[in-house]
Amino acid sequence: MNLGRHSITSTTPVHIFDARFDPDCQIFTTSTPAGFAVYRTSPLKLLRKRELKGGTLIAVVPFHTSNILFLVGGGRSPLYPPNKVVFWDDALGAEVAELEFRERVRGIACRRGWLAVALRRRVVVFQVGEQVTRYAEWDTCDNPKGLLAMATAAYSTLLTIAGRQLGHVQLVHLPPCAPPVPIGPHISSSPPRPPPPPAKHPVSIIAAHETALTTLSVPASGRLLATTSSRGTLVRVWDSLSGKLVREFRRGTDKADIYGVAFRPDEQELCVWSDKGTVHVFTLVASGPS
């Protein structure tokens, strides 16, 4: 019997450089050698596909469900200089603004009205409205992967970035995220209220690992923080307010390069994927008597 592997489709495989969800998880983008595409999450549907000639992109980040996408050039032949973040209006199919830095952009994250850009040793935050204004910046340790994560739910404040020391995380609290503007007919139900202010001042530094960080992840609420290190064996979950370790999960005993960590929207489970070709799903809920 021939047990060799056979292709079930004649379609040429497409290499995907990057995939990003918008903060509301309603759409996601993919960047490929030919350009980028925008999809609706549920039901899954291709909304728009853009073929861009002249270079490649390493990141296409949607700015909520607006027409704005943040583009970062990269690869062997970058479409844009790697030291720029380009604001692309997909309704116009054109660039409308850009931010330029003195070094390569390593990572970006956004929420309603805000954009954070990670460079090699600092993170710069901008307010995005009628105009783009520089809000503040923070120094970090060497951060070649451009690690940062931002809470995106209404009234959330958390921005997590690499600390100044190896394996540390800085927790920055920005002004509360504005709630979404209702669309369509008026609904009688009252809008969500902002949470009460914390009883204690939130921590600003967490000594998460002894080796270099490889991922930083937060759920939309910003209540929790997940971290991994270059050892790739443990995933640690922290309370972002108190800085206490909530859970610790073992991915395995051998060293691995963890590519990413993601929270389920209801914060009941945590997903981890790595270069081992495996996906681990851990429960964040303590098991009951059953």
Side-chain angles (χ1 to χ4, degrees):
M1 180 182 295
N2 183 6
L3 297 179
R5 300 179 66 180
H6 297 278
S7 174
I8 60 175
T9 176
S10 59
T11 304
T12 303
V14 176
H15 181 62
I16 296 177
F17 294 137
D18 188 57
R20 300 289 185 103
F21 283 91
D22 83 308
D24 296 326
C25 292
Q26 295 183 12
I27 63 173
F28 69 92
T29 60
T30 60
S31 54
T32 69
F36 67 87
V38 182
Y39 294 85
R40 184 174 62 198
T41 306
S42 181
L44 181 62
K45 181 181 178 181
L46 175 63
L47 299 178
R48 185 170 290 133
K49 187 176 182 180
R50 296 279 188 185
E51 293 189 358
L52 304 175
K53 297 181 180 180
T56 55
L57 302 168
I58 59 166
V60 179
V61 181
F63 189 42
H64 280 266
T65 50
S66 70
N67 295 322
I68 299 298
L69 302 171
F70 299 119
L71 310 184
V72 180
R76 294 183 178 179
S77 178
L79 179 63
Y80 302 109
N83 66 324
K84 291 184 177 182
V85 176
V86 174
F87 292 51
W88 174 277
D89 189 324
D90 207 38
L92 301 176
E95 308 152 19
V96 292
E98 66 179 34
L99 295 172
E100 184 174 1
F101 303 90
R102 295 181 179 179
E103 57 180 295
R104 181 161 70 91
V105 173
R106 304 284 175 161
I108 59 177
C110 65
R111 70 175 208 198
R112 191 175 290 105
W114 295 81
L115 170 67
V117 180
L119 306 174
R120 185 76 185 237
R121 290 185 175 273
R122 62 192 174 106
V123 170
V124 189
V125 174
F126 299 87
Q127 285 185 276
V128 182
E130 293 293 332
Q131 296 181 339
V132 180
T133 58
R134 192 188 194 100
Y135 176 76
E137 67 176 72
W138 291 267
D139 292 332
T140 68
C141 66
D142 189 33
N143 184 23
K145 292 188 175 183
L147 300 180
L148 76 169
M150 183 180 285
T152 58
Y155 306 112
S156 61
T157 63
L158 184 64
L159 166 67
T160 59
I161 62 178
R164 295 185 180 184
Q165 296 184 44
L166 191 71
H168 288 201
V169 182
Q170 295 184 65
L171 293 87
V172 178
H173 287 274
L174 303 173
C177 182
V181 177
I183 300 176
H186 177 71
I187 300 176
S188 58
S189 60
S190 59
R193 296 181 179 181
K200 296 181 179 180
H201 188 73
V203 299
S204 59
I205 298 289
I206 293 178
H209 299 271
E210 295 179 355
T211 56
L213 299 170
T214 52
T215 66
L216 287 176
S217 303
V218 299
S221 69
R223 293 190 314 107
L224 301 172
L225 162 68
T227 63
T228 61
S229 74
S230 56
R231 291 179 180 174
T233 55
L234 297 176
V235 182
R236 289 175 174 154
V237 181
W238 309 85
D239 183 302
S240 65
L241 184 62
S242 66
K244 293 181 179 179
L245 182 64
V246 177
R247 301 293 297 272
E248 183 176 86
F249 303 107
R250 180 168 290 278
R251 183 216 56 81
T253 56
D254 54 336
K255 188 177 183 300
D257 186 3
I258 294 180
Y259 293 149
V261 177
F263 287 89
R264 208 170 83 171
D266 60 6
E267 302 177 18
Q268 300 292 300
E269 293 177 334
L270 188 74
C271 177
V272 182
W273 58 100
S274 68
D275 64 342
K276 298 298 182 180
T278 58
V279 175
H280 291 72
V281 178
F282 301 99
T283 180
L284 295 172
V285 181
S287 58
S290 60

